[in-house]
Amino acid sequence: MADQKKMVAQITDMEEDFTQWYTDVCTKAELIAYSHIKGFMVIKPYGYALWENMQSLLDGRFKATGVQNVYMPLLIPESLLAKEGELVNGFAPEVAWVTAGGTEPLTERLAIRPTSETVFSDFYKDDVHSYRDLPRLYNQWCSVVRWEKETRPFLRSREFLWQEGHTIHATKEEAEERTQQMLNVYADFLAEDMAIPTIKGQKTEKEKFAGADATYTVEALMHDGRALQSGTSHFFGQKFSKAYGIQFTDRDNQLKYVWQTSWGVTTRMIGAMIMVHGDNRGLVIPPKIAPIQVDIIPIQQKKAGVLEAANRLASALSAFRVKVDDTEKTPGYKFAEQEMRGIPIRIEIGPRDIENGKCVIVRRDNGEKIEADIEDIEGTVKTVLATVQKDMLAKAQAQLDGMTYEARTPEEFRERFDNDKGDGFIKAMWCGDRACEDKIKEEYGVTSRCIPFHQENIAGTCVCCGKPAKKMVYWAKAY
Ligand SMILES: [Zn+2]
């Protein structure tokens, strides 16, 4: 047990220092390593395997709605980026520029893509001519660069991995429907595959994406009570199509501008997974995205027949992502490592178990031990993994519900947020004025997370100014 304690002691308790706990988990569970450039990280094999699983599940969900993958250039000429003013102004402070090719200075500097609305628009303008060419439902998996000042692994880095979908449509209705559809894809993926419940809604004018007519978001709540924007879907109307000249001849023979959307999720979701499910022993990964789902740990592995039995168990479980830990480490150390890495279940198998035709399954999410027959191990593991997946979502939902409050007056609002803690979501009414939103942010460090689709009438008046309220808003301190 001594080395097990030693290993777990490497992680700071989350109650003591949540930020340090998070950093410890990222590095000790071997998800990332820091590089020589601030905000650029190495995603190690275990972290990358996690991303690959997420990517493949999401990609399947995209393709089921007719989306195709493409790849666009990394660099954007400044003149092209500048065509849509709002977008360029929104991103200007964060753009990284290429100014030379080898020893030759460039005549026009090139932006490293912070996002690709401009390149997609420039491409669509020549690629689309008729209503028969529509819709175009393209997505790309790539990395983008945004020169952030404060950086943290997965949550805010200067280079990050993501997908960006960019679609164009003949009608406004169709584009609006696509915007909602992709938001639902994100919410379903987060709930069903990552066991992360979210609040779906619309961003306020202040918080929406630069250049968008409307931005929709899925907002999750972390263990420390701070919100994390986990995915966004934007409706652009005809803003880009007019700036970039994307026109098509419609059925009525009229030349029209297309209607456009974009939507994206990033490696940030890994940060959400860590902070929603993790505990003081390390990561807790939902089975569907876990790089390793089952860790088989032989007990007294030097005794005759033990390793063989462990390997037989692994063969019987070949339908899952399974590993046998046959290293020289002690079982205690192996348990600690499996817990740190958040592997959903471990199976302990020793000489006495083998004699009885049994093994012991231990759940990472709640520590429950289940005695199982070696004979029907495949069916048992399948059931246990499905139960873990379901229970993790229920636990996270209870966590979110338990940290969601209401405020009717400025006093109630102040009481909850006037401290250094995250302290959850507050549902409160809002008059719709930017001034109130600004004031709330200034006084409490709290931002409007979204105007939820599911509206409730908590009070008749704005929580800030007391004027008649228009909408209920979720407010929170956010990452
Ligand atoms: Zn107000």
Side-chain angles (χ1 to χ4, degrees), residues 429-433 435-437 440 461-468:
M429 304 307 289
W430 177 51
C431 63
D433 283 354
C436 285
E437 204 181 350
I440 287 172
T461 54
C462 173
V463 74
C464 183
C465 67
K467 281 192 276 191

